[in-house]
Amino acid sequence: MKNLFSNIKGDAFGGITAGIVALPLALAFGVSSGLGPSAGLYGAIFISFFAALFGGTNTQISGPTAPMTAVSMVVIAGIVAANDGDVNKALPAILTVFLLAGLMQIGLGAIGLGKYIRYIPYPVVSGFMTAIGVIILVTQVLPAIGYYPKEDVDLVSQFKPEAEEIILENILKEEAGEGILVLENFEETIRRAQLTTEEDIAKESKTLAQSASSGVIGTFKVLPRALKNINILELLLALGTIFIVYGFKRITTKIPSALVALIVVSGIAYGFGLDYRPIEEIPTGLPVPKMEIFTGFSLAAITPYIFTAITLALLGAIDSLLTSVVADNMTKTKHEPNKELVGQGIGNSIGAIFGGIPGAGATIRTVVNINSGGKTRLSGMIAGVLLLIILLALGPVASKIPAAVLAGILITVGIGVMDYKGLKAIPSLPKDIKLGPFKLSSEVLIMLVVLVLSTVWNLVYAVGIGLIFASLMFMKKIGDLTAQRSDVKSLKEEAWADEKDFPINLKEEVFIKHIKGPLFFGSTSDFQALTQQIPNTAKTVILRLGRMQYMDQSGLYAMEDMLQELKQNNVEVLFVGLLDQPRYMMERIDIIPDFIPNEHIFKDFKACLKWVKTNVKDEY
């Protein structure tokens, strides 16, 4: 506690500055997620406070981030669509997934997996981050020009037939569930269908229109219509915001340009009484727990999103720990990765209970905190408290912010979050694989696969495929490299120092193999050719295994097959220098002693040579 208050002045300045920087981003990420600005603000308040209180990085400022928001959008859109487009109806399931992600993060930290996050391949992270930028940038084009698909009457009317089909399908499902659906009598079906109003059909049509125009592909589908229906005022507000965000940085970086843009453009729009579209109203008063997460819990509702929750947990962990490394470099300290994951998990769990979107350690806000004097976890807690005060005091004022302003801020976030370092490196990376007539870099290919699949298909699956692809490529590279070094050579090709005195008269009868490096799936094909290299005159084979440090299951069975074939040909095999791990593996399936008795295993070549001189006769 003493350390907590050791730098009150610096932590106060750092926390207040970081909180101010977080405000416009929290509102923007909330709107972008689909849950509204209050969800972004609630997430920023609780994650910032509790991740700082329980985390392992003293100067970390946490809250909603671009990657976490992009994945959250997938969860929210999917669950809302499954609940007839009703956000309130879908909210318990959405927040349950977010809570689950937070609990998973706590679990990751508790079992000590924090230190392994760094093994995520860079091409996967690079492709994902660039995809996040593209998704945010493209999906904010429509609100930036003032086009909302649900309000396009002509577009919505195109979905009327599909809406009617869905409504009828739901009626039939209800009847089947109640056990009253029979082929002989559709009177109840007709009665329920007649109760459906035009308003019900219009609502379902709007949901379908919104769903069809969401994401990158959906945006491009409706973009021609949107460009014909540009709201000039909304476009000017968005462009003005973007101009100030980039322009004000040239004047000074001490004041957050996003906040300046938010205040200036919103002030002009409201002060001049312009007919703009405001964001959703932010509720006044203290945030209250969403107890329906527990009272209305349904395993079936969240089961399809378990993998997404895992992705959110891992993404939040990566995002936070990368920021922790940045903080370490700036403050010359060392964070505790597992404790940091527990703190982030607690923050996300409490944030979800109060209706907030998930977040992670935010690099820009953390850097601002450190540069403003923040040194202890108190700074992150102050940032969270400041946002709570802003919510209570300025909630009604914040509700007057134009939606186009937040769209403009998000466009700059999307541009900024892309991994330009990775993109610039594409031409210079070595082309190490061939696809038909083309030579490509495996790392570039992984990055592009993740980028494209994340952008046009599914963020969650894209990362999974990217990790699998990267792992396979890594295994192939290491396999190729190790196979080159996993060499087996005969005595005639290379004699080791202790083999110089081997009896010349026994060289026809004894064949020596040197196995250097691990015997694993990448080197088994070469090893399997061993029996073909043995001359017909040899009745004894010496395997020198002192440099075979490791054997996997593939290598184990390759060894078994070779020994079995040699035994059938009445060739005796001697082991020299067998190490512990390979011996353990061979004892598990009884290669030792069934094929190689213990008396045929020698600690060194000198002992083996003594056995050879005693037991091998000169026949050639």
Side-chain angles (χ1 to χ4, degrees):
M1 190 63 71
K2 184 180 178 182
N3 290 336
L4 188 64
F5 296 105
S6 61
N7 183 48
I8 292 180
K9 186 177 178 182
D11 289 335
F13 277 119
I16 290 169
T17 309
I20 290 170
V21 172
L23 176 63
L25 296 174
L27 294 170
F29 287 136
V31 171
S32 175
S33 74
L35 289 186
S38 56
L41 206 48
Y42 293 163
I45 290 167
F46 291 104
I47 299 167
S48 180
F49 186 88
F50 289 102
L53 179 61
F54 296 106
T57 312
N58 286 341
T59 52
Q60 183 101 291
I61 303 292
S62 303
T65 62
M68 293 295 278
T69 303
V71 177
S72 300
M73 285 165 59
V74 176
V75 181
I76 293 163
I79 298 178
V80 167
N83 285 271
D84 307 320
D86 190 337
V87 175
N88 293 325
K89 187 178 174 184
L91 192 60
I94 292 168
L95 296 180
T96 302
V97 173
F98 293 164
L99 174 60
L100 192 60
L103 295 174
M104 286 176 179
Q105 280 186 322
I106 296 172
L108 289 174
I111 61 177
L113 287 183
K115 59 187 175 184
Y116 297 108
I117 297 295
R118 66 180 183 271
Y119 294 115
I120 303 276
Y122 180 80
V124 176
V125 176
S126 176
F128 180 78
M129 292 305 291
T130 302
I132 295 295
V134 171
I135 291 167
I136 290 175
L137 181 62
V138 172
T139 55
Q140 292 308 306
V141 168
L142 298 184
I145 61 178
Y147 179 79
Y148 293 86
K150 287 172 73 171
E151 296 171 10
D152 185 338
V153 177
D154 290 339
L155 178 67
V156 170
S157 65
Q158 293 176 17
F159 290 92
K160 187 177 178 182
E162 189 180 343
E164 290 174 345
E165 287 177 18
I166 290 173
I167 290 170
L168 179 57
E169 188 180 328
N170 289 338
I171 289 172
L172 293 172
K173 283 180 181 176
E174 285 175 10
E175 290 182 352
E178 295 168 15
I180 59 173
L181 180 63
V182 289
L183 287 172
E184 292 83 3
N185 189 350
F186 282 105
E187 286 184 8
E188 179 59 20
T189 307
I190 295 167
R191 187 189 71 79
R192 294 190 184 191
Q194 288 173 338
L195 293 175
T196 304
T197 64
E198 284 296 323
E199 188 178 333
D200 295 330
I201 297 170
K203 183 180 176 183
E204 186 63 42
S205 301
K206 286 180 179 180
T207 301
L208 291 170
Q210 184 67 42
S211 178
S213 57
S214 64
V216 173
I217 298 295
T219 299
F220 281 121
K221 281 181 182 176
V222 298
L223 193 57
R225 295 185 63 86
L227 294 174
K228 293 176 185 176
N229 295 279
I230 295 175
N231 184 316
I232 299 299
L233 173 60
E234 301 288 322
L235 177 60
L236 290 174
L237 291 174
L239 290 175
T241 302
I242 295 168
F243 177 78
I244 293 174
V245 167
Y246 288 122
F248 195 79
K249 287 179 182 177
R250 295 178 178 273
I251 301 171
T252 179
T253 55
K254 290 184 178 179
I255 303 172
S257 59
L259 183 68
V260 174
L262 180 75
I263 294 171
V264 171
V265 180
S266 300
I268 291 171
Y270 183 74
F272 284 93
L274 302 179
D275 185 23
Y276 65 88
R277 183 190 187 98
I279 61 173
E280 291 177 33
E281 189 172 344
I282 297 173
T284 55
L286 289 167
V288 293
K290 308 290 183 184
M291 298 312 294
E292 55 267 33
I293 295 177
F294 307 105
T295 57
F297 176 78
S298 168
L299 187 62
I302 65 162
T303 300
Y305 302 96
I306 297 294
F307 186 60
T308 312
I310 295 171
T311 304
L312 268 172
L314 290 173
L315 178 60
I318 297 164
D319 213 357
S320 300
L321 294 181
L322 287 175
T323 303
S324 296
V325 172
V326 173
D328 284 352
N329 291 335
M330 292 182 69
T331 59
K332 308 304 178 193
T333 57
K334 188 165 179 61
H335 72 281
E336 298 176 60
N338 295 318
K339 188 178 178 184
E340 181 61 32
L341 291 190
V342 171
Q344 292 292 333
I346 292 171
N348 277 316
S349 299
I350 295 174
I353 291 170
F354 282 88
I357 59 173
T363 306
I364 294 172
R365 282 162 260 177
T366 300
V367 170
V368 165
N369 175 41
I370 295 168
N371 288 338
S372 301
K375 288 183 180 178
T376 77
R377 61 186 71 245
L378 184 63
S379 56
M381 295 161 68
I382 288 172
V385 171
L386 175 70
L387 290 170
L388 178 62
I389 292 169
I390 292 172
L391 169 70
L392 297 175
L394 301 176
V397 176
S399 298
K400 304 296 182 184
I401 295 171
V405 169
L406 295 188
I409 289 172
L410 282 170
I411 285 172
T412 64
V413 170
I415 293 169
V417 83
M418 293 185 199
D419 182 35
Y420 297 103
K421 183 180 177 182
L423 292 171
K424 285 177 185 175
I426 288 176
S428 57
L429 290 172
K431 296 176 180 179
D432 53 352
I433 56 170
K434 276 190 82 172
L435 287 178
F438 302 105
K439 274 193 165 186
L440 299 167
S441 163
S442 58
E443 299 209 339
V444 171
L445 190 61
I446 292 164
M447 187 188 79
L448 292 177
V449 165
V450 175
L451 169 57
V452 172
L453 292 181
S454 296
T455 304
V456 303
W457 182 41
N458 186 296
L459 279 164
V460 180
Y461 297 150
V463 171
I465 290 169
L467 285 172
I468 292 168
F469 194 14
S471 300
L472 290 172
M473 299 300 279
F474 174 75
M475 287 162 65
K476 183 183 183 304
K477 282 181 186 177
I478 296 301
D480 291 344
L481 289 171
T482 311
Q484 287 173 13
R485 300 182 66 182
S486 289
D487 222 0
V488 283
K489 300 206 182 223
S490 69
L491 180 62
K492 291 178 183 177
E493 294 168 334
E494 178 192 351
W496 287 358
D498 56 359
E499 297 167 0
K500 299 292 184 184
D501 298 328
F502 191 87
I504 296 173
N505 63 316
L506 294 179
K507 285 188 176 181
E508 299 296 330
E509 288 79 13
V510 179
F511 190 72
I512 301 176
K513 280 291 187 181
H514 304 146
I515 301 180
K516 296 181 285 187
L519 183 58
F520 72 120
F521 64 88
S523 59
T524 51
S525 57
D526 292 332
F527 185 79
Q528 285 163 347
L530 181 106
T531 50
Q532 298 170 9
Q533 301 171 26
I534 300 171
N536 295 330
T537 57
K539 292 302 175 186
T540 303
V541 171
I542 298 174
L543 289 182
R544 301 209 61 178
L545 305 175
R547 297 185 189 178
M548 188 182 80
Q549 313 92 331
Y550 173 80
M551 168 186 279
D552 72 356
Q553 197 169 6
S554 300
L556 180 67
Y557 292 131
M559 176 71 79
E560 183 183 39
D561 291 343
M562 182 210 69
L563 294 174
Q564 194 165 18
E565 188 173 344
L566 291 176
K567 189 173 183 179
Q568 288 171 356
N569 294 333
N570 297 314
V571 176
E572 281 196 287
V573 180
L574 310 176
F575 282 177
V576 177
L578 181 62
L579 299 175
D580 290 343
Q581 192 273 345
R583 180 169 192 145
Y584 176 83
M585 291 289 286
M586 286 189 270
E587 285 175 346
R588 294 307 95 192
I589 63 167
D590 295 327
I591 285 178
I592 301 171
D594 290 358
F595 290 119
I596 308 292
N598 283 301
E599 56 268 24
H600 283 185
I601 302 173
F602 302 94
K603 187 176 181 180
D604 53 41
F605 189 73
K606 186 178 179 182
C608 178
L609 185 56
K610 185 178 178 182
W611 187 95
V612 168
K613 289 177 178 178
T614 305
N615 294 279
V616 178
K617 294 179 180 179
D618 180 11
E619 296 181 8
Y620 298 96

